[in-house]
Amino acid sequence: MSAAAALFPLPRRSVVRRKFPSLRTLASLSPSFEPPPPPSGPAGAPGAAPASYFPKKNQVLELDCESLAYKGRGVCKVSDTGFVVLCDRALPGERFLGRVTRRKGSYAEVTKLRTITPHRDIVDPPCEYAQYCGGCKTQNLLYEAQIRAKEQQVHELIIHVGKFDVRDPEFRNVMQPIIPCQLQFHYRNKMEFSFGIQRWLPKELLDKNREGMDEPALGLHAPGFFDKVLNIDRCLLQSEPANKVLAAIQECWQDPCLGLSPYDVHSHTGFLKHLMLRTGRDIETGLPEVMVNFVTSSHKPDLLKPLVDKVSAFPEVTSIVNNVNSSVGNTSLGEVEYILHGKPFIMETLRGLVFQISANSFFQTNTHQAELLYRLIEECANLRGDGSEIVLDLFCGTGTIGLTLAKSVKHVYGYEVVAQAIADARVNAKLNGIHNTTFIQGDLNKIDENFGNNFPKPDIVISDPNRPGMHMKLIKFLLRLKSPRIIYVSCNPATCARDLDYLCHCSGENGPYRLRSVQPVDMFPHTPHIECVCLLELCQ
């Protein structure tokens, strides 16, 4: 039995009775390894592995990391036992000491204490926060090794969770090599920072220097904590104009004369919650446009005025907005939005189209790589070009994918649950003079038997769900619909593999669809995230 089966037992194939596996389980999936071997001799014999091995909580172990699992955690084995252990920030080839923090059935989780032998592809991370920030977990891993690990993860998830037979001659042509990202830094067009009442430092730094610990913070959440913020002056993932804005705000927001207070997530007091920075491009000049979004607990424009005056002096800043979120939740979405400077949106171009991006609208976070991603989707669509085809765009967001195909098809029908995204999609269609699109707000997790009655049978279905993947109701609808072609765009290869299994193996080994290609794309270097474009064709 494979480690995938040990860590992730799947029920028998049945569209009716199958239940979705836990995303917590999927997140820790590691299909690369076999479980501990059976003992080779009598218990206690020299060199014999124990019949069963379960480390205790807080036990310190010597571990060897052998590969990266989904979400970037190192997959390790306890020396002389083969017991599988997952560890954050452990990298292939590294030997280290780790303390057991949690046991989960057939495997355990550990925290790294000390490296004994460094990993084989070690590099010096250029970011001073890389060792502690939760964003760039693999910045100290050679980029070529990063993409090799991501490609391996997708391949093994498709085999072990998707249940595709690697011995099948057709499968050899299905898995495509991963496409790397040309921009390894400054590729994100959106970053969200949080305000906190107290700066967080890891224990090893806290023991050496407690100076400034009582000061508030503006930065990113510490890994695993919703209430701890690592203060950050510059992020290498966002654009340089956005970094200039972040530095300017860091210089002044703590001035006692301004009377600004960070939000306390425990007492639910304070004013400043989040700072969101988005970068676009002027469609005429090509110069960067920056949107600054202050998320606050109440509407007090006089308090924000000094910050607005400071950052509006940057020529790149063309929009400053204030989203007011009075709830106790930690979301950056506002109940009401106020325009403090400039226009309520910024612009961007993608695949020859122009897009209007508001503070809360969804847009591909890596614009440069999105050009490539959408080209791959268009190639998978294999459009006839005669304007006769119908496209169903599920989880359409602001309509970017459907709009890039609209010029070559008869009509695009897009569905999305977020009302603001649908409004943006309709605006973007008008901006580009596209009139053969229909964008509808609707929750695709709650469809009923009437879904599909208000649009013709599509020739092509594009599904781009969020991390949980598609709901079983939607999968059953697609199995009944029998569209000739499905393009599944996924940001989570674990749930993607699960859904591909449903679509291709719903009634045993031979389901209605055949998986023709899986193309991994690295959209986010130095992070564990992987994008995939999968093509399924209806069996004839």
Side-chain angles (χ1 to χ4, degrees):
M1 180 175 64
S2 70
L7 293 178
F8 181 60
L10 283 171
R12 294 180 180 179
R13 294 187 178 99
S14 169
V15 171
V16 175
R17 295 185 178 179
R18 295 175 75 174
K19 295 181 180 180
F20 283 99
S22 160
L23 290 180
R24 186 184 298 273
T25 302
L26 284 167
S28 57
L29 179 64
S30 168
S32 307
F33 298 101
E34 297 298 318
S40 56
S52 61
Y53 177 83
F54 296 98
K56 298 179 181 179
K57 188 175 181 180
N58 294 323
Q59 183 177 350
V60 176
L61 305 170
E62 184 172 313
L63 301 163
D64 295 296
C65 181
E66 301 197 7
S67 75
L68 293 180
Y70 176 61
K71 286 197 172 181
R73 294 193 290 180
V75 181
C76 316
K77 285 185 178 179
V78 181
S79 298
D80 302 323
T81 69
F83 187 84
V84 174
V85 172
L86 300 180
C87 181
D88 219 11
R89 299 184 183 278
L91 296 170
E94 181 178 12
R95 173 168 285 206
F96 65 97
L97 292 179
R99 176 178 287 114
V100 178
T101 56
R102 194 187 319 187
R103 278 177 46 187
K104 287 189 171 184
S106 60
Y107 69 102
E109 296 178 353
V110 304
T111 297
K112 185 164 65 174
L113 300 177
R114 178 173 61 86
T115 298
I116 300 172
T117 305
H119 55 88
R120 53 184 171 261
D121 291 309
I122 189 170
V123 296
D124 293 326
C127 177
E128 60 181 301
Y129 311 107
Q131 187 176 351
Y132 313 110
C133 172
C136 299
K137 289 187 176 182
T138 55
Q139 200 179 112
N140 60 339
L141 182 64
L142 186 72
Y143 182 62
E144 288 75 12
Q146 292 181 35
I147 59 174
R148 284 199 305 269
K150 291 183 178 184
E151 181 179 298
Q152 180 185 8
Q153 289 166 34
V154 173
H155 187 268
E156 293 184 346
L157 286 166
I158 294 295
I159 293 172
H160 293 287
V161 179
K163 299 193 175 179
F164 291 92
D165 190 352
V166 69
R167 297 166 299 180
D168 185 345
E170 289 187 8
F171 186 76
R172 297 172 187 171
N173 299 321
V174 167
M175 290 301 307
Q176 303 299 313
I178 191 170
I179 298 177
C181 185
Q182 292 182 359
L183 297 178
Q184 294 170 26
F185 292 99
H186 306 297
Y187 59 79
R188 286 189 66 97
N189 57 37
K190 175 186 174 184
M191 284 291 295
E192 182 181 309
F193 303 96
S194 296
F195 291 91
I197 60 171
Q198 192 175 39
R199 298 189 179 194
W200 175 85
L201 284 176
K203 188 177 184 300
E204 58 266 32
L205 295 184
L206 185 61
D207 292 340
K208 297 177 183 177
N209 181 17
R210 292 183 174 270
E211 184 179 350
M213 281 302 300
D214 293 331
E215 296 179 6
L218 169 59
L220 298 172
H221 284 282
F225 295 98
F226 75 97
D227 58 348
K228 301 182 186 300
V229 177
L230 174 67
N231 198 70
I232 287 180
D233 297 310
R234 183 169 181 258
C235 178
L236 295 185
L237 296 190
Q238 71 175 355
S239 69
E240 282 301 340
N243 273 323
K244 286 165 57 178
V245 172
L246 174 62
I249 293 173
Q250 286 281 34
E251 285 177 3
C252 67
W253 80 273
Q254 296 183 56
D255 186 341
C257 298
L258 300 183
L260 295 168
S261 60
Y263 187 75
D264 186 336
V265 295
H266 295 288
S267 66
H268 307 299
T269 58
F271 179 60
L272 294 170
K273 284 189 167 184
H274 304 283
L275 170 69
M276 184 189 294
L277 301 175
R278 305 191 76 149
T279 306
R281 283 181 292 179
D282 185 291
I283 58 175
E284 294 182 357
T285 66
L287 296 174
E289 291 186 331
V290 176
M291 168 183 282
V292 183
N293 178 16
F294 294 103
V295 182
T296 60
S297 61
S298 58
H299 180 49
K300 297 178 180 178
D302 291 343
L303 279 181
L304 289 176
K305 189 175 186 307
L307 297 183
V308 172
D309 291 343
K310 190 172 185 67
V311 298
S312 62
F314 292 107
E316 300 95 336
V317 176
T318 59
S319 174
I320 304 177
V321 301
N322 173 209
N323 270 253
V324 177
N325 181 352
S326 61
S327 71
V328 296
N330 206 25
T331 178
S332 60
L333 295 176
E335 301 144 1
V336 186
E337 182 173 296
Y338 299 92
I339 312 303
L340 305 180
H341 168 79
K343 54 189 181 179
F345 55 82
I346 54 177
M347 302 298 295
E348 185 54 277
T349 59
L350 185 61
R351 298 291 289 165
L353 303 178
V354 297
F355 293 92
Q356 181 174 296
I357 306 169
S358 58
N360 296 318
S361 63
F362 171 80
F363 193 78
Q364 282 288 346
T365 313
N366 184 340
T367 310
H368 183 272
Q369 199 73 335
E371 289 275 353
L372 169 65
L373 184 73
Y374 288 8
R375 178 172 60 80
L376 291 170
I377 294 170
E378 188 169 351
E379 290 175 357
C380 286
N382 193 25
L383 299 173
R384 292 192 289 266
D386 58 1
S388 63
E389 291 159 297
I390 301 294
V391 174
L392 177 60
D393 188 4
L394 303 174
F395 309 95
C396 66
T398 55
T400 49
I401 295 177
L403 290 172
T404 59
L405 299 177
K407 62 182 182 297
S408 303
V409 302
K410 182 177 181 179
H411 205 91
V412 174
Y413 294 87
Y415 280 81
E416 169 63 44
V417 68
V418 181
Q420 183 60 55
I422 288 296
D424 288 341
R426 292 167 179 167
V427 168
N428 289 329
K430 290 181 180 179
L431 279 174
N432 292 280
I434 296 174
H435 306 291
N436 59 334
T437 57
T438 302
F439 293 107
I440 303 165
Q441 182 189 3
D443 190 343
L444 292 167
N445 293 330
K446 299 178 180 179
I447 62 173
D448 57 25
E449 62 277 4
N450 295 318
F451 184 70
N453 293 342
N454 56 347
F455 56 81
K457 181 177 178 178
D459 302 281
I460 301 162
V461 173
I462 299 170
S463 183
D464 187 6
N466 52 15
R467 297 194 184 283
M470 294 193 295
H471 193 277
M472 198 66 208
K473 291 180 179 179
L474 183 59
I475 292 175
K476 289 180 179 179
F477 166 77
L478 293 177
L479 291 172
R480 292 193 305 268
L481 183 67
K482 288 187 166 68
S483 174
R485 193 174 296 118
I486 297 176
I487 302 170
Y488 193 129
V489 185
S490 170
C491 59
N492 183 339
T495 53
C496 173
R498 177 202 66 195
D499 292 348
L500 294 178
D501 181 28
Y502 288 132
L503 292 166
C504 296
H505 307 135
C506 70
S507 57
E509 294 302 321
N510 297 314
Y513 282 95
R514 288 289 176 268
L515 180 62
R516 295 306 185 193
S517 68
V518 176
Q519 176 64 73
V521 181
D522 187 19
M523 300 286 288
F524 305 107
H526 315 300
T527 78
H529 304 300
I530 315 169
E531 201 89 8
C532 291
V533 179
C534 308
L535 173 62
L536 297 92
E537 292 182 348
L538 190 67
C539 298
Q540 300 298 323

